[in-house]
Amino acid sequence: MAETSFRASSLRASSASLVGIELPILEVRYEDLKVEAEAHVGSRALPSFKNFSIGMVEGLLQTLHLRSSQKKHLDILQGISGIVQHSRLTLLLGPPGSGKTTFLLALAGRLDKELELIPIWWRWYYWLCPLAWTLYGMFASQYGDKEEMVVDVGQTVKQFLEDYYGYKHNFVGVVAVVSLAFPVMFALIFAIAIKILNFQNR
């Protein structure tokens, strides 16, 4: 099988050289690649109805800030750097659970959405920041529906914004409402503060 694949690639290369076509040389570079996750360990991680029910209750209690998360912090990949060169056969070895699949998914840009790559406190700060909503609305409204290909990435502009930044064009309406709600909220806070403090009565 490997010999057949090699002969096919050699035939394509020779055919391209005969007609004066230069095949692009591609290589994959990665530097300080880190992947972290929050997950249950032991029997608590088994897919069962009991664990599912406990997870639902824990999620509700965490939303109400009545219980902290019982998940353990796991470092799946820790600062990996390297280069996968063209025309080379690269062998990836490691014991079960060492992160081989996660590594390949990271290189392909297809990591599971459940992997918590950003700390929870930072995500809360992001959604409470007016500037974050402004950037979301600006990029999603202007580029979120573009189907042109990004040459260096191999994706459309729409797919790139959704995969790498989470900006979705169909979410622009909500972003507009939230962006308008921020100045209204600040104006109300200002008016209430003036009424309560009322410096003129000093």
Side-chain angles (χ1 to χ4, degrees):
M1 184 67 181
E3 184 179 355
T4 304
S5 177
F6 176 76
R7 288 180 178 177
S9 60
S10 300
L11 181 61
R12 287 194 298 269
S14 60
S15 301
S17 61
L18 289 175
V19 296
I21 299 177
E22 294 185 3
L23 295 178
I25 298 176
L26 302 177
E27 64 181 17
V28 178
R29 295 174 178 263
Y30 50 96
E31 183 176 355
D32 196 24
L33 178 60
K34 298 179 181 179
V35 177
E36 302 173 348
E38 302 287 336
H40 293 291
V41 296
S43 61
R44 183 65 179 83
L46 297 176
S48 64
F49 180 76
K50 175 184 176 181
N51 288 335
F52 173 77
S53 302
I54 295 175
M56 293 289 291
V57 175
E58 286 183 349
L60 177 60
L61 294 177
Q62 291 171 20
T63 302
L64 300 175
H65 301 285
L66 299 177
R67 180 183 176 88
S68 60
S69 176
Q70 301 301 306
K71 294 182 178 181
K72 304 296 183 180
H73 179 81
L74 302 176
D75 292 321
I76 302 177
L77 299 177
Q78 302 181 25
I80 300 176
S81 301
I83 302 175
V84 180
Q85 297 182 348
H86 67 95
S87 302
R88 299 288 182 89
L89 180 63
T90 303
L91 180 62
L92 182 61
L93 296 176
S98 60
K100 300 186 298 296
T101 302
T102 302
F103 173 69
L104 294 176
L105 290 174
L107 293 184
R110 298 185 178 276
L111 282 177
D112 192 339
K113 300 299 182 182
E114 294 297 323
L115 290 175
E116 304 292 346
L117 301 180
I118 305 176
I120 184 65
W121 61 268
W122 184 260
R123 292 198 298 274
W124 276 107
Y125 170 77
Y126 174 84
W127 291 114
L128 291 175
C129 178
L131 179 59
W133 288 93
T134 302
L135 292 175
Y136 193 124
M138 181 174 65
F139 282 100
S141 62
Q142 296 298 318
Y143 303 105
D145 58 344
K146 299 294 184 181
E147 297 295 341
E148 289 83 356
M149 294 293 295
V150 181
V151 178
D152 295 335
V153 180
Q155 292 180 309
T156 63
V157 177
K158 178 181 179 180
Q159 293 172 338
F160 179 78
L161 288 178
E162 290 183 359
D163 292 345
Y164 286 83
Y165 298 101
Y167 294 164
K168 298 181 179 180
H169 187 262
N170 56 7
F171 200 64
V172 171
V174 177
V175 175
V177 173
V178 175
S179 299
L180 292 175
F182 273 113
V184 174
M185 180 184 67
F186 291 145
L188 289 175
I189 294 175
F190 176 77
I192 294 173
I194 290 295
K195 181 179 180 180
I196 293 176
L197 297 177
N198 199 358
F199 295 102
Q200 295 182 352
N201 291 336
R202 285 189 172 184

